[in-house]
Each structure stands twice: as C-alpha cells, then as structure tokens.
Amino acid sequence: MRLRFKLKTVFILYFTVSLLGLIYALMHLGKLHSLQGHTKKEPTKPHLPTIYVITPTYARLVQKAELTRLSQTFLHVPQLHWIVVEDSSQRTDLVSHFLEHSGLVFTHLHIPTPQDRKLQEGDPNWLKPRGVEQRNEGLRWLRENIWAGETAEGVVYFADDDNTYSLQLFEEMRWTQRVSVWPVGLVGGMRYEGPVVEQGRVVRFHTGWRPSRPFPLDMAGFATSLRLVLRNPEARFDGNSPMGFVESSFLQGLVTMEELEPKAEMCTKVLVWHTRTEKPKMKREEALQAQGLGSDSKVEV
Amino acid sequence: MSSPHPPPPPPRRCAVIRGLSPMVEMPKRRDILAIVLIVLPWTLLITVWHQSAITPLLTIRKACHHLVKEIFIIPERLAARRHRLADDGAEGRHETGQGSDSKEYCSSDKDIVEVVRTEYVYTRPPPWSDVLPTIHVVTPTYSRPVQKAELTRLANTFLHVPNLHWILVEDAQRRTPLVSRLLRETGLNYTHLNVETPRNYKLRGDARDPRIPRGTMQRNLALRWLRETFSPNSTQPGIVYFADDDNTYSLELFEEMRSTRKVSVWPVAFVGGLRYESPKVNAAGKVYGWKTVFDPHRPFAIDMAGFAVNLRLILYKPQAYFKLRGVKGGYQESSLLRELVTLNDLEPKAANCTKILVWHTRTEKPVLVNEGKKGFTDPNVEI
C-alpha cells in the first residue's frame, strides 16, 4: 500500500513539475516568438523594394579589407541583395568564406576578363574599362533568376568595392522608377561631379571632363529600376566603348536625359564618394620572399 | 527504524501499479500512457527550443569571466534614440524604455561564442549594455577632400559595435561644422574635441618627415580628456583604442579587444612594407618579440592599430602620453606603451596573433586637376 502511494505521489509530482516547467518555457518562448515574429516582419516589409547591388571584384592585397568595410555599410541597409562577381575563372575561397560570414543576402558569381581587356602591370587605371564583363554577368544573373512575373520591385546599383557609400544613398535610390541620378564626390578630377537640376528635371551635367558624353556620370552616380533592366534584355555595358563612355553605353538604350530622376535633394548633396585605396607598398615583403622568408602565406590578409 | 518492505519485484509490466490488480488488462495501456505522458513534455520542449533557434545576424565572441550572456535586443520601435555621451563625464548610459532582457548562466568556458539575437535595428547603434566594457575609440582627423568619406564609412563600421564611444579629435583651430554635423547624424555615442598641431610640427604637404608623427597631439588630448572625465575608482570598465580614420576594422576586432586586462596586441596588415606585421607569441601564449622587418628591436614594434589599452591602466598612469618631440619613425607607439606595460604583460589576441582583423589601408589622394585655380564646383556643396 505504501509503495503504491509513494509511486503515485512521485508520478503526480513529476507531472506537475514538468507541466509547470513546460508552461513556463512555452510562455517564455512565446514571448520571444511574438517579439521576433512581430519585428521580423518589419525589416523585411514585403513592399520595400530590394536593392540589388552588383559589385565586381578582383583579387589583390586590399580585396578583403575593401569587401569587409563595404559589407559593414551594407549590413545597415534593409532589403539589400549583394551580387558579388569575381574577375576569376572560379570562385575563390577568400570571397566565398567572406560572403558566408558576412550576414548579408548575397549571390556569388564569377567571370574572368579576357586577357586583351585586362590592364597590364604599369598601365594607368583609366586605360581600359574595368569590371565590364563582371557587371554584365550580374545583369545576366538578374535576368535569368528574377522573374518579371513577380512584382519586380527593385533597383539595380553598380557599386565598386573601393568607393564609399553613405546609408542615406540607398534610401534615395530605393524608389527609382526608371533611372535615378545624383552627384558623386571626388571623381572626374573634381570635388564632385553630377547632374544639374532645374525645376525638378535634369537639364545638363556638371563635369570637368568631356561633358558632351550622352551620360557623363560615374558608375556610382545612378541606379536603374529592376523593371527597366528586365524589360530591356539587350542593355549591357560595352567594353569596347571609348574611355568614359561605359556608363553611357548602358544607359543610352534605357532612358533619355529628360526621364532621369534626380535624387539627393535635387542633386545638391554628395552621398557617395569615388575613393580609391592605395596599393600597399610591399618592398620589404618582396625582399623577404626572395630570401624565402616571406610572411606566412597561410594567413589570409 | 524504517519498516521493512519487500524488495522491489522484478520488472514486470504489472509491477508498477500493483494495487490496481482488478484492472489487469488496463495496466498495460496505463503503462504506455504513463510513459507517453512522461516523454511528451520533454519532446515538446526540445522541439520548440530547437525551432526557436533563429539564425543570428551577428555572432559576437566574448570572453566572459565564467558567464554567458544572452542579450535580446529590443526592436526599433521600442529602442530609445541614443544621445551623445555628456561632456560632464556621465559614465555609461541607461536604457530608457523597456531595456534589454538578459539572462546569465554560469559556464566553465572562458571564451564563449555568444549569439546576439537581434532583430536588426538599421542605422542605429546597438542599445547600451551595462555589462560590456566600453570601447573608447580615439580617432584623430584633419580636413582634406576625403575626410567626410573616411569618417562616413568609419561610422558605418562603428554603428555595429555595442558600447562604443567615439572620441574624434580634429586637427583644427575649432570644431568644423562638417564633422559636427556628421557626428550628430550618425547617432553614435561620441565626444568631439579639437586641438591644432602647431605649424612646425605638422607634416608639410606630402613631405614624409618621419620625425613629426601626425595625430600625436590629438591622441594626447583624448588621453587627457579620458583622465579628466573618468576617475580611477569608477567601476565602469573601458578599453582605449587608437583608430585612424583611413584604416579598415573588422567587427570581430572590437570583441577581441573588449577583454583586455592591461594591453592587448594583434597583427596588422599592410604595415612595415609587409603583408602583415605581428607580435611573436610563444607556446605559453606570451609575447616575446615582433615579427617585423622594419626595426624589430623597437620596444614595441607595433602599429597604432595593433594594440588596445585598458582604461584603468591609462588612469593609473596619468603621466603616460605619446612623446611629441624627438621621436624616431616607428617609435611613437613605444613612447606610450613603455610607460604603461612590459612585454611580458601583453595579451595576444586574434587567435594568438594568427588572424588579421585590421588592415592599414590608405586612401589615395584624389587628383583634383579639373578644379583649376578658382575652383570649378560649387564650394557650398559639402564633400
């Protein structure tokens, strides 16, 4: 008799304790869930257009550093999809690992630049346009993977990995209907270069170099709506165009100057800068490597 | 004296519910029912816990002293707008509103990968925590075309780091509106100071004169400000880091330095003409030398971005400053560190100094050829 009593009590006690524990845990989790569930929707508002950022990149010493600080900026921008296109015949480990740990929504593509289009050692930067094949590859991926049937709400922006972007820029470009434009700092040999706006329309371009170009803009100075990109499958960058005309080769078929949407307070504010990073001097490294004493190459820089 | 009871019968199905012998058929079902009822709550619990493990946006590595903290960051609509740290020396800040929910568990591990569950609050710094040590980042800056760009992307980096206090010191006669406005608009916790380097100490144009280190007076002013603002007896822990405005910092770096007890060190990329320079760490985890080519016999052959100092150490040694005059190239860091610590006390971070978490990048000076003598662009447009 006593045995039965003991066991029964034990069972009842056990059930009560575990039930209480479960209820407590569920309540706690429920609290978390409602918190998460509620706010998880907020950053990913279904009607917030996605910004597709296409970044061509290539292997060099400062690559990881550039991508790191770029990702730190992008992490602040909601609904951003980063399309990184490597100038390489295969995906490199450095970029793959980096993107996986970046915390961003990304697509990792690669396409090598043909040898004759590549800059050789000692060539000045402006000799051949860079990143053309990579940007076209990004466009191709978008056209193949984003269906026009969906509410193709989005913006396509070409962001080089060494420029500097303010967070406000992305909110300015997000609602682009066709092509939006804004000034870019530190480019074209000037403090800034950009469209001149009168009565809400772009009337001409303020630039120090070849203002007769159809679109004397820098790559970082415009964004195209996804709809326009998808509806014009032939629009791409022409690597054979003369210096400074690469942007025009893309925009010419898409939009006229009158249709451009000026942003950044009617193009009076600079929200993006065409910074360039110095190539680090490796004289000592090269000297060491000649002696076979270079710094550990297993350490990723 | 306990009354003897018969030894437990051999485990037979009916043994459990002995007293209910009339129901001989039922005990089998009851058994099963009992087992199910025992197991059910635990399986439910496990599945629900498992499902609720949401992928974190950021994982922060933290060396807790036997504590693991889970911080639930509150969503945007509940977070209070951050204000600048008051100049009168208010230490730390407190959450207004709901505050962060935190639970503490004891764990035997020292370095624990902490998952910060966050619903990301875009463009605002993470809410202030009362437990994390504050990282005081000292950045000297000066006016030039790329200044706003550099500070912008630096701010974008700092906006990810919890408990960061940015001490920006301008090399100028008075605080410029450009920097003031930028600091205000970022929403970061900051202190804006300024001191002008006297003309004969400044670097003239691009002249590489290694005897005159740039930014020294600004960093010293920040050290003085820290000593005037915080008292050695305060309990708010802090770390001081000297971050130049053109370098690149990974977010992991800030979490590595947060556990500094005296002075911690790590490798820096692109300095000294090498891919990276790094302290030499022996098997016991102690620094015994410097892996550099440029003058490895300096007392501290390390770059400004390669070390961090505990605030308490700065406060206990109020005479320690960067040497202003007569400092040989590359010895500036040593001029401060030798007054604070010995080689033996250095704490190696970044996986015993094998990972690169900071890059000494330099931004090209833009060639503004087309501006001409009078300036082509509207000078009222700020760049």
Side-chain angles (χ1 to χ4, degrees):
Chain A
M1 236 201 57
R2 206 194 250 168
L3 190 68
R4 176 184 70 184
F5 178 71
K6 254 193 185 163
L7 267 167
K8 218 176 184 178
T9 331
V10 165
F11 269 119
I12 290 169
L13 265 169
Y14 171 80
F15 286 139
T16 336
V17 166
S18 58
L19 204 68
L20 284 172
L22 187 68
I23 291 169
Y24 171 75
L26 280 174
M27 257 173 43
H28 185 80
L29 283 171
K31 201 167 56 173
L32 182 67
H33 256 297
S34 67
L35 210 67
Q36 303 279 26
H38 188 339
T39 54
K40 205 169 188 183
K41 292 201 184 85
E42 280 199 323
T44 56
K45 289 193 190 94
H47 52 272
L48 203 64
T50 306
I51 301 179
Y52 295 94
V53 179
I54 299 181
T55 299
T57 184
Y58 65 104
R60 74 263 197 213
L61 283 168
V62 297
Q63 180 186 38
K64 192 177 180 191
E66 301 282 45
L67 293 177
T68 300
R69 55 185 171 184
L70 202 56
S71 72
Q72 287 161 356
T73 297
F74 290 161
L75 277 168
H76 289 296
V77 185
Q79 282 297 97
L80 184 143
H81 185 138
W82 197 13
I83 301 172
V84 179
V85 194
E86 289 197 74
D87 182 352
S88 156
S89 50
Q90 63 209 37
R91 292 189 179 90
T92 57
D93 281 339
L94 188 147
V95 178
S96 304
H97 290 150
F98 168 77
L99 287 173
E100 277 162 32
H101 293 111
S102 63
L104 290 162
V105 175
F106 70 89
T107 297
H108 186 183
L109 305 170
H110 63 97
I111 185 168
T113 310
Q115 202 55 33
D116 57 345
R117 292 250 183 94
K118 264 190 146 88
L119 281 178
Q120 303 307 321
E121 195 63 46
D123 278 347
N125 287 323
W126 40 263
L127 197 62
K128 293 174 189 155
R130 290 191 299 179
V132 170
E133 281 78 13
Q134 286 73 38
R135 293 188 192 97
N136 285 338
E137 171 72 4
L139 288 170
R140 181 204 63 80
W141 183 90
L142 277 174
R143 287 166 176 144
E144 280 179 23
N145 290 278
I146 311 289
W147 303 317
E150 285 174 32
T151 42
E153 279 243 311
V155 189
V156 180
Y157 183 53
F158 299 99
D160 289 345
D161 59 8
D162 53 0
N163 291 340
T164 303
Y165 309 92
S166 72
L167 301 180
Q168 205 191 332
L169 175 73
F170 297 100
E171 299 319 312
E172 294 273 320
M173 72 170 75
R174 204 185 280 278
W175 305 94
T176 304
Q177 296 303 307
R178 285 209 177 87
V179 174
S180 53
V181 289
W182 48 78
V184 178
L186 310 173
V187 73
M190 304 214 295
R191 284 172 73 245
Y192 68 91
E193 202 184 60
V196 175
V197 175
E198 275 167 27
Q199 288 168 343
R201 293 228 164 274
V202 176
V203 290
R204 61 180 181 279
F205 294 93
H206 172 86
T207 166
W209 188 76
R210 291 220 197 156
S212 56
R213 293 176 276 164
F215 291 97
L217 294 166
D218 182 76
M219 198 65 72
F222 68 93
T224 325
S225 79
L226 182 64
R227 217 176 302 128
L228 204 63
V229 167
L230 296 179
R231 283 201 193 134
N232 295 279
E234 299 313 310
R236 53 171 58 89
F237 293 95
D238 182 5
N240 293 320
S241 45
M243 193 171 95
F245 283 77
V246 177
E247 293 85 1
S248 307
S249 70
F250 175 68
L251 290 171
Q252 255 176 324
L254 288 180
V255 77
T256 64
M257 188 170 76
E258 289 71 39
E259 292 171 335
L260 292 174
E261 297 150 53
K263 301 285 177 186
E265 285 181 43
M266 293 297 148
C267 295
T268 55
K269 296 265 177 281
V270 174
L271 301 174
V272 55
W273 298 263
H274 193 273
T275 43
R276 296 177 48 79
T277 306
E278 273 184 20
K279 191 171 157 182
K281 298 193 180 72
M282 289 286 124
K283 274 202 317 250
R284 296 207 180 92
E285 181 76 46
E286 285 151 19
L288 275 184
Q289 275 176 0
Q291 299 168 33
L293 296 168
S295 35
D296 189 351
S297 56
K298 283 200 296 296
V299 175
E300 190 181 80
V301 163
Chain B
M1 195 166 121
S2 57
S3 55
H5 49 266
R12 280 185 302 131
R13 282 265 191 92
C14 308
V16 175
I17 312 172
R18 234 169 158 224
L20 301 168
S21 41
M23 301 181 265
V24 177
E25 291 305 309
M26 297 303 277
K28 287 197 183 149
R29 251 185 249 166
R30 269 212 180 194
D31 255 324
I32 297 166
L33 187 66
I35 292 169
V36 165
L37 279 177
I38 290 168
V39 170
L40 185 68
W42 296 107
T43 46
L44 269 176
L45 191 68
I46 291 168
T47 43
V48 174
W49 269 120
H50 192 65
Q51 267 180 9
S52 78
I54 300 156
T55 332
L57 268 167
L58 288 174
T59 52
I60 295 182
R61 200 158 169 274
K62 196 171 77 139
C64 340
H65 309 285
H66 311 293
L67 283 177
V68 166
K69 220 166 170 47
E70 269 198 344
I71 302 172
F72 297 105
I73 308 282
I74 49 176
E76 182 169 12
R77 56 194 172 82
L78 296 176
R81 185 108 199 142
R82 306 257 46 113
H83 301 291
R84 184 169 70 82
L85 186 72
D87 272 348
D88 63 9
E91 295 163 19
R93 268 124 29 86
H94 301 283
E95 284 283 351
T96 58
Q98 260 83 341
S100 46
D101 199 14
S102 65
K103 282 203 279 210
E104 294 186 18
Y105 308 90
C106 272
S107 169
S108 52
D109 299 12
K110 236 190 350 175
D111 286 351
I112 293 158
V113 177
E114 174 202 297
V115 169
V116 176
R117 298 211 189 148
T118 126
E119 274 312 317
Y120 215 74
V121 179
Y122 298 100
T123 77
R124 302 233 181 101
W128 202 264
S129 154
D130 283 335
V131 188
L132 289 177
T134 306
I135 298 181
H136 302 276
V137 179
V138 176
T139 301
T141 184
Y142 65 103
S143 268
R144 74 260 198 217
V146 297
Q147 181 188 36
K148 191 175 179 192
E150 302 282 43
L151 294 178
T152 300
R153 56 182 169 187
L154 204 55
N156 288 343
T157 302
F158 291 160
L159 279 168
H160 290 290
V161 185
N163 283 39
L164 185 140
H165 173 218
W166 197 11
I167 305 175
L168 196 57
V169 195
E170 287 197 75
D171 186 348
Q173 224 171 30
R174 54 186 76 90
R175 296 184 233 168
T176 59
L178 186 150
V179 176
S180 307
R181 211 176 312 129
L182 187 142
L183 284 173
R184 226 183 8 249
E185 283 170 9
T186 58
L188 283 167
N189 185 358
Y190 70 90
T191 297
H192 187 183
L193 305 170
N194 71 292
V195 63
E196 195 180 22
T197 311
R199 213 159 289 239
N200 35 345
Y201 288 122
K202 265 197 197 165
L203 277 173
R204 269 172 282 271
D206 284 22
R208 285 262 111 219
D209 194 343
R211 280 172 297 180
I212 312 169
R214 200 211 294 278
T216 314
M217 286 194 68
Q218 287 71 35
R219 294 188 192 99
N220 282 344
L221 181 67
L223 287 174
R224 204 178 76 193
W225 182 91
L226 284 166
R227 287 169 176 139
E228 284 170 8
T229 310
F230 297 99
S231 74
N233 307 321
S234 77
T235 48
Q236 175 79 335
I239 313 289
V240 180
Y241 182 53
F242 299 97
D244 288 346
D245 60 7
D246 52 0
N247 292 340
T248 304
Y249 309 93
S250 73
L251 300 180
E252 215 185 314
L253 175 73
F254 297 103
E255 300 317 313
E256 289 280 310
M257 72 170 75
R258 231 185 263 276
S259 56
T260 305
R261 286 195 302 273
K262 281 192 173 160
V263 174
S264 54
V265 291
W266 49 78
V268 180
F270 311 141
V271 281
L274 295 172
R275 281 173 77 242
Y276 64 91
E277 262 185 6
S278 128
K280 284 199 221 174
V281 182
N282 62 19
K286 286 246 174 270
V287 177
Y288 66 95
W290 309 97
K291 211 160 166 270
T292 79
V293 165
F294 171 62
D295 208 344
H297 301 295
R298 289 175 274 167
F300 295 91
I302 199 164
D303 182 76
M304 197 66 73
F307 68 92
V309 187
N310 193 316
L311 180 64
R312 211 174 299 123
L313 192 60
I314 300 275
L315 299 174
Y316 278 163
K317 308 250 172 119
Q319 310 308 319
Y321 280 99
F322 288 102
K323 198 155 170 241
L324 209 52
R325 305 156 213 242
V327 181
K328 261 205 301 182
Y331 280 78
Q332 218 208 349
E333 295 83 3
S334 304
S335 71
L336 175 75
L337 287 173
R338 65 154 185 258
E339 304 199 28
L340 291 174
V341 83
T342 61
L343 205 69
N344 202 35
D345 287 333
L346 294 176
E347 300 151 50
K349 299 287 174 187
N352 264 352
C353 294
T354 56
K355 275 169 50 167
I356 307 293
L357 301 176
V358 55
W359 298 262
H360 194 275
T361 43
R362 293 172 52 81
T363 305
E364 272 183 21
K365 190 171 158 172
V367 182
L368 302 181
V369 279
N370 286 330
E371 288 287 346
K373 282 221 177 91
K374 296 224 188 95
F376 186 68
T377 52
D378 183 355
N380 290 323
V381 176
E382 189 184 83
I383 53 155

